[in-house]
Amino acid sequence: MKRLLLKRELHNPIAFVLHPLAYGKIAILLSFYPLAYEIRVLLAIPLHGKLTRFLNKFELQGDEILKAFIFDMDGVIIDSEPIHFDIDVKTMNFFGVTISPHELDEFVGMTNPEMWKILKQKFNISHSVSEIIEYQLSLKIELIRSTEIGPINGIYELILELKKLNILLGIASSSPIKFINEVLLKFKILEYFDCIVSGEEVAKGKPEPDVYLEAAKLLGVDPSECIVLEDSKNGIQSAKSAGMKCFGFINQNSGNQDLSKADIIVNSIRGIKVTDL
């Protein structure tokens, strides 16, 4: 699917524009200057219903156009929340604290320093936050390297579809940059991303918007030109606070997450269509 109505086409006095689209979708649009931005679609003859939805929701909205798609990583690219829960419970046990995985649900989407600062204080752990993270991260990286694990079903296809459309791709994850790189290298998808931002590299992690704003800045786009894929309440709040549209992905392994603030909620990565936003 290509960016359909370029500004130069919209400003022709009378223009019949024939756009061949991916998957054989074709539409003929008639637009009259100067009403192009006022009239949504004067004439549309799509061969597929999704095309009309795309036009209605993206094309004639002033200067807004999809330029970048930004992925969270944990629970979106890799089904890693069970790994995090398991390793975090083991880390707590190593430092003398017994905790259940469900007690960690509220921390999904938060950075390690923020999470461990809270847990250290709550359970009166004597070791420093940096010592806790060093132990925890070593276990996670060892597990990623030694385990046969692939990306979440549909991620490869979504990435390739977006690249075909010349959409910029970014990662905005709360995980440490070392862990992000390990995952992307393991899945052989590192080269597809135009920027990678860890929540530990910005002033405030999710649910604050900093990590997504930084990703937009590195990609050279306005936040309103970005769509985000998230699986957590904290992540969706971060994306929406940054002024971005957001898919909420229901990942049962990410714990009990409130995704109600997402623009669209999906049960499968394969259910994500760029035309839906």
Side-chain angles (χ1 to χ4, degrees):
M1 186 169 39
K2 299 177 180 178
R3 297 172 187 174
L4 303 184
L5 297 178
L6 300 178
K7 288 183 179 180
R8 57 181 175 80
E9 296 170 327
L10 284 172
H11 285 82
N12 285 341
I14 298 178
F16 281 90
V17 185
L18 179 63
H19 297 280
L21 304 178
Y23 311 113
K25 305 171 189 173
I26 299 177
I28 299 175
L29 297 181
L30 177 64
S31 60
F32 291 89
Y33 178 86
L35 299 178
Y37 286 107
E38 300 296 329
I39 301 175
R40 304 284 297 180
V41 177
L42 294 179
L43 176 63
I45 309 174
L47 296 186
H48 197 289
K50 289 179 181 177
L51 175 61
T52 300
R53 291 200 297 274
F54 180 81
L55 294 173
N56 287 342
K57 294 188 178 183
F58 269 131
E59 290 311 316
L60 302 180
Q61 296 183 13
D63 291 331
E64 288 187 16
I65 189 169
L66 172 61
K67 292 184 178 178
F69 196 104
I70 305 176
F71 293 78
D72 175 35
M73 188 185 74
D74 294 295
V76 166
I77 289 178
I78 178 175
D79 197 10
S80 55
E81 296 305 348
I83 294 174
H84 291 312
F85 288 142
D86 180 55
I87 296 297
D88 292 346
V89 167
K90 289 179 178 177
T91 299
M92 293 288 281
N93 290 341
F94 180 81
F95 290 103
V97 178
T98 300
I99 194 172
S100 72
H102 294 299
E103 293 178 79
L104 299 171
D105 283 355
E106 64 181 292
F107 301 108
V108 174
M110 293 179 63
T111 65
N112 267 339
E114 290 168 325
M115 179 184 78
W116 288 112
K117 180 180 178 181
I118 294 171
L119 290 173
K120 170 181 165 59
Q121 183 176 4
K122 181 177 180 179
F123 293 99
N124 196 28
I125 301 174
S126 60
H127 292 76
S128 68
V129 169
S130 60
E131 289 175 315
I132 298 171
I133 291 175
E134 182 179 359
Y135 177 80
Q136 173 222 38
L137 187 56
S138 66
L139 293 183
K140 288 182 179 179
I141 290 177
E142 180 182 353
L143 184 61
I144 288 294
R145 290 177 177 177
S146 62
T147 303
E148 290 297 325
I149 185 173
I152 289 177
N153 189 19
I155 280 295
Y156 275 137
E157 293 79 3
L158 178 58
I159 289 173
L160 291 177
E161 179 185 1
L162 291 166
K163 294 304 288 187
K164 287 179 182 178
L165 302 176
N166 295 318
I167 303 296
L168 296 169
L169 301 186
I171 295 281
S173 171
S174 293
S175 283
I177 193 67
K178 187 175 180 181
F179 184 74
I180 297 171
N181 287 332
E182 285 286 341
V183 171
L184 300 184
L185 284 170
K186 185 176 183 70
F187 295 163
K188 297 180 173 61
I189 56 175
L190 178 63
E191 67 273 15
Y192 290 114
F193 292 96
D194 301 289
C195 84
I196 297 172
V197 184
S198 165
E200 296 183 9
E201 298 175 319
V202 294
K204 295 181 180 180
K206 302 174 186 178
E208 299 303 318
D210 301 35
V211 67
Y212 281 112
L213 291 175
E214 180 65 14
K217 179 181 177 181
L218 292 176
L219 292 171
V221 298
D222 189 88
S224 65
E225 299 169 327
C226 302
I227 295 179
V228 169
L229 176 57
E230 269 285 357
D231 72 315
S232 72
K233 176 182 178 181
N234 288 326
I236 290 171
Q237 180 61 55
S238 176
K240 297 306 294 181
S241 296
M244 301 178 181
K245 293 182 179 179
C246 185
F247 280 106
F249 169 50
I250 300 175
N251 185 334
Q252 301 296 338
N253 290 327
S254 296
N256 184 23
Q257 299 295 316
D258 178 6
L259 308 182
S260 60
K261 290 186 178 181
D263 295 280
I264 291 178
I265 298 175
V266 295
N267 290 287
S268 166
I269 300 297
R270 293 188 181 277
I272 294 173
K273 306 297 180 185
V274 179
T275 57
D276 286 340
L277 281 177

